[in-house]
C-alpha cells in the first residue's frame, strides 16, 4: 500500500499537499475511494481513504489509528563531528534508514569544515534528506536534524547512556558497554570528525558520565562509524 507523510491532520481528516499530490494524481493515478497509508511523522499511522483529489490537494478520511510498526523503542541520537563537505547528507540518509531518532552536528576541535552563516541552508537540505529517507524506509518518525553544538554543549545528562567512539580506547568495547548493566532506551552516540577526537574532548565527556568505547581493531571513516555504531546498538537492544 502506498504511504504518505502529512502533519495536516484534524480529527479524522488529513490533507496532502506539495509534490506528493502530483505523484498521487499523475504517477499512481489514485482516485476517490482508493486506500493509502498515512503517517504523521511522529510515530502514528492511519488507514486513509481518498475523499477528493484536486491539482493542489488530496483529502483523506482516516481510520484504524495505530502506532507505526517500524519504530524502535530505543531512541538513539547521533552527535556527529562535522565532516568534510558532502559527507553529512550520506550520514543522515543512512542513519535515517537504520532508525536514528536525531542527528546533531558537533564542532569538535579537529573539524575541517566549520559552520558558516549559510549553515541554516544546509540544515534545510539535511532535513529534506531525512524526510526522503524516512519515506523510502517506511519510518514512522522523521528524524530531527538539529543545529550544530559545541562539544561542551552535548547534553550528556539528557540520556540514559552516552557512548563515545574513541580509537584510543582499548579496555571497553561497544559490546561490553551495551551488555553491562541496563543501558536504557535513550542512547547518545558520539562520533568524531576525520581527524578524530582530542584527548581533552574525550576526557570532558567522560567526566560528565559518557563512556568511551572501541569499535574494534580497524579504524573506520567518520561517515562509516556512525551508521555502523547505530546498527550495532539497535541490533543489541531492540
Amino acid at each position: 500500500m502506498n504511504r504518505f507523510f502529512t502533519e495536516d491532520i484534524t480529527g479524522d481528516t488529513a490533507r496532502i499537499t506539495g509534490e506528493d499530490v502530483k505523484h498521487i494524481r499523475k504517477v499512481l493515478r489514485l482516485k476517490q475511494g482508493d486506500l493509502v497509508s498515512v503517517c504523521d511523522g511522529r510515530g502514528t499511522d492511519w488507514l486513509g481513504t481518498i475523499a477528493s483529489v484536486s491539482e493542489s490537494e488530496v483529502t483523506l478520511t482516516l481510520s484504524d489509528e495505530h502506532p507505526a510498526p517500524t519504530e524502535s523503542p530505543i531512541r538513539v541520537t547521533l552527535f556527529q563531528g562535522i565532516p568534510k563537505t558532502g559527507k553529512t547528507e550520506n550520514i543522515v540518509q543512512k542513519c535515517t534508514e537504520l532508525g536514528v531518532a536525531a542527528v546533531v552536528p558537533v564542532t569538535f576541535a579537529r573539524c575541517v569544515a566549520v559552520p558558516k552563516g549559510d549553515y541554516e541552508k544546509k540544515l534545510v537540505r539535511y532535513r529534506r534528506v531525512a524526510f526522503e529517507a524516512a519515506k523510502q524506509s517506511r519510518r514512522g518518525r522523521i528524524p530531527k536534524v538539529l543545529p550544530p553544538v559545541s562539544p561542551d554543549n552535548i547534553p550528556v545528562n539528557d540520556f540514559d547512556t552516552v557512548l563515545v567512539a574513541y580509537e584510543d580506547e582499548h579496555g571497553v568495547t561497544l559490546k561490553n558497554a551495551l551488555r553491562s548493566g541496563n543501558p536504557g532506551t535513550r542512547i547518545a552516540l558520539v562520533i568524531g570528525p576525520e581527524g578524530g577526537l582530542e584527548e581533552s574532548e574525550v576526557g570532558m565527556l567522560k567526566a560528565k558520565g559518557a563512556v568511551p568505547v572501541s569499535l574494534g581493531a580497524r579504524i573506520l571513516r567518520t561517515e562509516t562509524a556512525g551508521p555502523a555504531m547505530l546498527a550495532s546498538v539497535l541490533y543489541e537492544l531492540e
Side-chain angles (χ1 to χ4, degrees), residues 1-2 4 12-14 16 30-31 33-39 45-51 58-66:
M1 183 181 296
N2 295 294
F4 300 94
D12 63 354
T13 300
I16 297 174
L30 298 177
K31 58 187 182 302
D34 286 340
L35 300 178
V36 298
S37 177
V38 178
C39 182
D45 281 3
W46 288 265
L47 180 66
T49 303
I50 295 179
V58 176
T59 303
L60 307 106
T61 301
L62 303 179
S63 60
D64 188 25
E65 178 180 347
H66 58 277

Side-chain angles (χ1 to χ4, degrees), residues 168-201:
D168 288 335
E169 174 58 50
H170 303 295
V172 180
T173 65
L174 177 59
K175 182 190 294 186
N176 295 151
L178 293 174
R179 293 186 177 181
S180 60
N182 179 16
T185 59
R186 298 172 302 163
I187 311 293
L189 309 179
V190 181
I191 303 293
E194 286 87 353
L197 298 172
E198 291 193 345
E199 185 177 351
S200 60
E201 292 171 329

Side-chain angles (χ1 to χ4, degrees), residues 47-221:
L47 180 66
T49 303
I50 295 179
S52 64
V53 179
S54 70
E55 291 188 1
S56 60
E57 179 181 279
V58 176
T59 303
L60 307 106
T61 301
L62 303 179
S63 60
D64 188 25
E65 178 180 347
H66 58 277
T70 55
E71 286 304 303
S72 171
I74 308 300
R75 304 281 291 164
V76 181
T77 297
L78 175 66
F79 289 90
Q80 171 68 52
I82 298 176
K84 293 178 181 177
T85 302
K87 294 181 178 180
T88 300
E89 289 186 15
N90 185 59
I91 293 168
V92 169
Q93 182 188 66
K94 300 309 175 188
C95 287
T96 296
E97 293 174 18
L98 288 166
V100 79
V103 178
V104 185
V106 185
T107 55
F108 289 110
R110 294 177 182 171
C111 287
V112 175
V114 179
K116 299 179 181 179
D118 64 345
Y119 203 81
E120 185 61 38
K121 294 180 181 179
K122 292 184 178 181
L123 283 177
V124 172
R125 172 58 185 162
Y126 300 152
R127 288 164 181 163
R128 184 65 187 178
V129 169
F131 175 76
E132 294 294 343
K135 286 176 60 178
Q136 180 274 322
S137 57
R138 292 185 173 268
R139 289 284 305 271
R141 293 181 182 273
I142 302 170
K144 296 178 181 179
V145 183
L146 301 175
V149 300
S150 61
D152 56 340
N153 282 328
I154 294 176
V156 174
N157 292 332
D158 288 353
F159 299 92
D160 299 319
T161 300
V162 178
L163 303 173
V164 182
Y166 187 42
E167 65 272 17
D168 288 335
E169 174 58 50
H170 303 295
V172 180
T173 65
L174 177 59
K175 182 190 294 186
N176 295 151
L178 293 174
R179 293 186 177 181
S180 60
N182 179 16
T185 59
R186 298 172 302 163
I187 311 293
L189 309 179
V190 181
I191 303 293
E194 286 87 353
L197 298 172
E198 291 193 345
E199 185 177 351
S200 60
E201 292 171 329
V202 177
M204 178 270 296
L205 291 169
K206 186 175 181 180
K208 291 183 176 182
V211 180
V213 297
S214 167
L215 299 186
R218 293 170 294 281
I219 301 298
L220 304 179
R221 291 179 179 273

